[in-house]
């Protein structure tokens, strides 16, 4: 939930610098069988590109402008004067190309080099997943990397390229976590989100409306702690503070990419010009670290068997759980609820009928088999992931001179150049998706399943799987599973819902105004 995410999927450097506490990254978790075997690493120096482009070579349009001045101007346009979508749309129109050069925020003085080659169509974008062509070292957040002081002194998994020795071990550890606790996911999800729905109903009864975001944050953190680590946060020293502490910690990493609604020039100075000092969240992070260290002894034992120090493993578990997974659910669940809520009563009725019929046919229980009998529900989840992937920004640095193709031209990218893709443009590409800007609930039913290869939220196509040799979100299938479970739990309990939608720094701010209890 995060790409990209926060973010994705699936939101690299080298050997971790030693400190008291290490850390660990990855992105969400899995539903279908996970490829956890360590396969041979690709050759360090890939063969030169020999294929001939089928389209005419065109010089990449656009320029980076005047050093320092142009990146700051572009940053102000991106955040304040035009906004992100218009920032890209206006350049597509100006250059008559979905591939062009631009400066990406934050720029001076956080990012040393803001220059990128922008890829905004569904044909060129997937090169960012091909680790034989692009390097993923230290570009998880883009043109800058947050201080490793925020992750215990370690470069965590999300910042590692698959060519680095630690990448395979750390990703394998995440696969172990997912597999070893897979039987706990569905029952703990039911427990945690039944509590969420009870909370929403109480707020509706008392106030006539209920904020989904805060209740969702608590439910997501409780669910992850219970399902992955067998721990109930409220029974520990952490109490109910987990989501709040994570929010502060994430701000110090992603602040250069946020807007919080403060006066624009003050906010630009505070968030986008200089990094926030890590010492300000050191004590908050330590509380999270202690919670995970005390809760994950069996996983840390496995890490030691793999040759990973307990400290480094714990920092990585914290990052994977809090940044990648919790962050992805925090962003994506309200976004998905927004699309379902806006679709109206007719879709709600169809979902309720399909879900209840399948569950009844499977002994009244929510099972993997039952969910496979819910094509509309599955399509709705994929469509929400297509419309608003939780990690929308993706980066890759060319390992060698490349030729990339959009739908109508080919472009030469030089070794070392950083490429950037804004995923929502690629996954709404009108040359791939009919009515790509619209939420079409049944888009991926029947023959529509062929389009799943163009659903890219997990740092890779939906039709492919994460391995230790790629950067696809380790928890790809896990995220799909829990997203399905949310829809299933909701429409087993309710016939329909009504919502209001606002904005927040991390996606939709959803307020529930009505929940109609199940009547059939």
């Amino acid at each position: 939930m995060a790409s990209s995410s926060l973010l994705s999927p699936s939101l690299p450097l080298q050997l971790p610098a030693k400190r008291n506490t290490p850390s660990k990254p990855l992105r969400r978790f899995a539903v279908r069988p996970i490829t956890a075997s360590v396969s041979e690493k690709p050759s360090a120096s890939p063969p030169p590109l020999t294929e001939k482009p089928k389209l005419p070579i065109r010089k990449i349009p656009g320029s980076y402008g005047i050093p320092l001045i142009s990146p700051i101007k572009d940053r102000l346009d991106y955040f304040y004067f035009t906004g992100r979508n218009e920032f890209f749309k206006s350049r597509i129109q100006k250059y008559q190309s979905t591939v062009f050069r631009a400066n990406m925020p934050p720029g001076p003085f956080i990012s040393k080099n803001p220059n990128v080659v922008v890829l905004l169509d569904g044909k060129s974008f997937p090169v960012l997943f091909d680790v034989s062509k692009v390097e993923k070292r230290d570009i998880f957040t883009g043109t800058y990397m947050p201080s490793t002081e925020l992750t215990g002194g370690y470069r965590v998994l999300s910042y590692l390229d698959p060519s680095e020795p630690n990448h395979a071990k750390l990703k394998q550890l995440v696969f172990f976590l997912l597999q070893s606790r897979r039987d706990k996911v569905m029952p703990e999800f039911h427990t945690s989100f039944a509590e969420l729905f009870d909370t929403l109903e109480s707020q509706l009864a008392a106030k006539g409306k209920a904020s989904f975001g805060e209740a969702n944050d608590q439910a997501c953190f409780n669910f992850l702690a219970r399902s992955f680590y067998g721990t109930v946060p409220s029974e520990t020293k952490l109490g109910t503070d987990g989501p709040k502490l994570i929010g502060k910690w994430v701000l110090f990493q992603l602040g250069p990419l946020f807007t919080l609604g403060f006066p624009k020039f003050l906010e630009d100075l505070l968030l986008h010009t200089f990094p926030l000092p890590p010492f300000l969240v050191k004590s908050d992070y330590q509380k999270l670290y202690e919670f995970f260290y005390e809760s994950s002894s069996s996983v840390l034992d496995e890490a030691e068997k793999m040759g990973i120090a307990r400290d480094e493993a714990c920092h990585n578990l914290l990052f994977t759980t809090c940044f990648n997974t919790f962050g992805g659910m925090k962003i994506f669940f309200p976004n998905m609820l927004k699309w379902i809520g806006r679709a109206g009563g007719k879709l709600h009725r169809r979902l309720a009928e399909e879900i209840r019929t399948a569950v009844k046919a499977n002994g009244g229980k929510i099972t993997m088999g039952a969910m496979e009998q819910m094509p509309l529900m599955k399509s709705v989840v994929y469509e929400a992931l297509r419309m608003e992937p939780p990690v929308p920004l993706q980066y890759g640095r060319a390992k060698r001179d490349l030729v990339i193709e959009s739908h109508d031209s080919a472009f030469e990218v030089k070794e070392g150049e950083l490429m950037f893709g804004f995923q929502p443009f690629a996954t709404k590409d009108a040359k791939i998706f009919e009515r790509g800007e619209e939420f079409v609930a049944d888009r991926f039913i029947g023959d529509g399943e062929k389009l799943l290869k163009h659903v890219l939220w997990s740092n890779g196509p939906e039709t492919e799987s994460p391995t230790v040799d790629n950067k696809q979100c380790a928890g790809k299938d896990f995220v799909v599973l829990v997203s399905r479970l949310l829809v299933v739990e909701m429409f087993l309990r309710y016939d329909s819902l009504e919502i209001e939608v606002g904005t927040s720094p991390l996606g939709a701010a959803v307020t529930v105004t009505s929940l109609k209890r199940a009547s059939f």
Side-chain angles (χ1 to χ4, degrees):
M1 316 169 236
S3 100
S4 80
S5 35
L6 217 137
L7 9 9
S8 113
S10 323
L11 317 207
L13 251 134
Q14 247 179 356
L15 297 176
K18 270 223 169 175
R19 289 186 69 108
N20 307 350
T21 4
S23 83
K24 158 161 206 83
L26 261 205
R27 301 171 194 271
R28 311 149 186 111
F29 305 16
V31 163
R32 283 175 262 169
I34 300 170
T35 306
S37 58
V38 182
S39 54
E40 298 251 316
K41 288 230 185 348
S43 158
S45 28
L49 189 70
T50 54
E51 66 265 24
K52 283 189 175 182
K54 298 171 185 172
L55 295 169
I57 295 281
R58 178 184 175 188
K59 180 183 176 182
I60 299 175
S63 72
Y64 301 125
I66 303 168
L68 190 64
I69 295 173
S70 294
I72 292 175
K73 179 183 180 302
D74 286 348
R75 180 174 77 207
L76 293 172
D77 283 344
Y78 181 92
F79 286 123
Y80 305 112
F81 299 143
T82 64
R84 183 169 63 180
N85 281 14
E86 189 57 35
F87 179 88
F88 296 126
K89 284 181 181 177
S90 63
R91 284 158 175 78
I92 290 175
Q93 293 167 356
K94 178 180 179 180
Y95 302 127
Q96 291 298 293
S97 175
T98 52
V99 176
F100 52 84
R101 297 187 183 278
N103 297 299
M104 276 299 291
F109 297 93
I110 293 174
S111 169
K112 290 182 180 178
N113 184 357
N115 304 161
V116 300
V117 176
V118 180
L119 314 176
L120 294 179
D121 62 84
K123 188 173 180 183
S124 64
F125 188 93
V127 72
L128 298 171
F129 309 141
D130 188 344
V131 293
S132 72
K133 295 179 179 178
V134 300
E135 183 183 67
K136 292 287 193 173
R137 181 187 302 256
D138 298 337
I139 54 173
F140 176 59
T141 45
T143 61
Y144 76 102
M145 180 180 171
S147 170
T148 56
E149 290 183 42
L150 293 164
T151 50
Y154 291 92
R155 291 174 58 234
V156 292
L157 177 59
S158 291
Y159 291 95
L160 300 179
D161 185 74
S163 64
E164 298 181 76
N166 247 20
H167 182 274
K169 291 192 292 185
L170 291 171
K171 197 164 186 178
Q172 191 73 43
L173 181 65
V174 177
F175 286 145
F176 170 80
L177 174 67
L178 290 166
Q179 292 177 325
S180 65
R181 300 291 297 179
R182 62 185 179 273
D183 294 339
K184 304 296 182 183
V185 171
M186 295 174 76
E188 294 297 357
F189 189 94
H190 174 77
T191 298
S192 297
F193 281 80
E195 293 171 358
L196 174 145
F197 293 132
D198 288 343
T199 299
L200 295 180
E201 289 178 16
S202 296
Q203 290 181 5
L204 277 170
K207 304 176 184 178
K209 60 183 179 179
S211 170
F212 180 78
E214 187 175 342
N216 178 63
D217 289 355
Q218 197 66 60
C220 289
F221 187 75
N222 290 345
F223 159 64
L224 293 172
R226 288 165 168 170
S227 59
F228 288 159
Y229 306 105
T231 302
V232 180
S234 62
E235 297 175 0
T236 72
K237 289 184 292 184
L238 193 64
T240 59
D241 290 341
K244 178 181 67 177
L245 297 177
I246 295 169
K248 290 171 64 178
W249 172 64
V250 169
L251 175 64
F252 275 64
Q253 297 173 75
L254 296 184
L257 305 178
F258 283 173
T259 57
L260 300 177
F262 299 142
K264 62 176 69 76
F265 292 110
L266 174 63
E267 181 177 82
D268 195 61
L269 178 65
L270 293 177
L271 283 185
H272 307 143
T273 307
F274 302 101
L276 295 171
F279 76 85
L280 293 177
V281 289
K282 184 176 181 181
S283 63
D284 295 327
Y285 182 77
Q286 186 62 29
K287 291 175 186 175
L288 289 170
Y289 177 83
E290 289 171 0
F291 172 80
F292 280 91
Y293 197 88
E294 292 167 4
S295 302
S296 58
S297 57
S298 62
V299 188
L300 298 180
D301 290 343
E302 182 66 21
E304 285 191 310
K305 294 176 187 177
M306 295 179 179
I308 307 168
R310 295 179 81 86
D311 186 47
E312 181 175 11
C314 187
H315 285 293
N316 273 271
L317 291 174
L318 192 164
F319 193 94
T320 296
T321 306
C322 297
F323 193 108
N324 299 140
T325 316
F326 172 82
M329 295 168 72
K330 174 185 175 68
I331 295 169
F332 181 63
F333 280 9
N335 285 346
M336 182 170 66
L337 195 64
K338 173 186 73 176
W339 292 111
I340 292 172
R342 284 177 170 175
K346 185 176 179 181
L347 174 63
H348 301 169
R349 177 81 184 191
R350 291 174 62 200
L351 284 168
E353 289 176 348
E354 177 186 82
I355 289 166
R356 294 171 198 176
T357 299
V359 169
K360 184 177 180 182
N362 284 267
K365 296 180 180 179
I366 303 172
T367 64
M368 297 295 290
M371 288 193 289
E372 287 304 312
Q373 298 167 25
M374 304 175 189
L376 177 61
M377 179 278 292
K378 293 194 295 179
S379 179
V380 162
V381 170
Y382 285 136
E383 181 71 343
L385 286 166
R386 181 189 74 84
M387 292 293 291
E388 281 189 287
V391 183
L393 315 181
Q394 299 286 347
Y395 290 83
R397 191 176 301 280
K399 286 185 172 180
R400 60 180 188 272
D401 291 355
L402 300 174
V403 173
I404 58 173
E405 294 186 351
S406 65
H407 291 294
D408 45 30
S409 298
F411 304 88
E412 293 179 331
V413 175
K414 297 299 182 184
E415 179 181 352
E417 288 196 279
L418 188 61
M419 293 177 285
F420 157 80
F422 184 55
Q423 190 178 147
F425 277 44
T427 55
K428 295 175 186 174
D429 189 332
K431 294 187 177 180
I432 295 174
F433 292 102
E434 185 179 353
R435 297 160 58 199
E437 296 286 339
E438 298 178 34
F439 180 84
V440 180
D442 53 5
R443 186 184 297 276
F444 297 104
I445 293 178
D447 285 346
E449 288 188 355
K450 295 174 183 176
L451 290 170
L452 286 174
K453 65 183 178 182
H454 300 293
V455 176
L456 311 170
W457 70 272
S458 64
N459 205 14
E462 188 59 32
T463 50
E464 296 182 9
S465 298
T467 73
V468 295
D469 290 329
N470 65 26
K471 289 301 290 182
Q472 191 162 24
C473 169
K476 164 181 171 280
D477 295 325
F478 174 84
V479 171
V480 172
L481 172 60
V482 296
S483 301
R484 291 175 177 178
L485 286 173
L486 178 60
V487 180
V488 170
E489 292 280 4
M490 180 175 297
F491 285 100
L492 282 176
R493 185 162 175 147
Y494 305 110
D495 284 346
S496 65
L497 70 154
E498 294 179 5
I499 61 170
E500 296 173 352
V501 181
T503 58
S504 78
L506 286 174
V510 173
T511 299
V512 179
T513 57
S514 172
L515 290 170
K516 183 180 178 183
R517 273 284 195 169
S519 61
F520 63 92

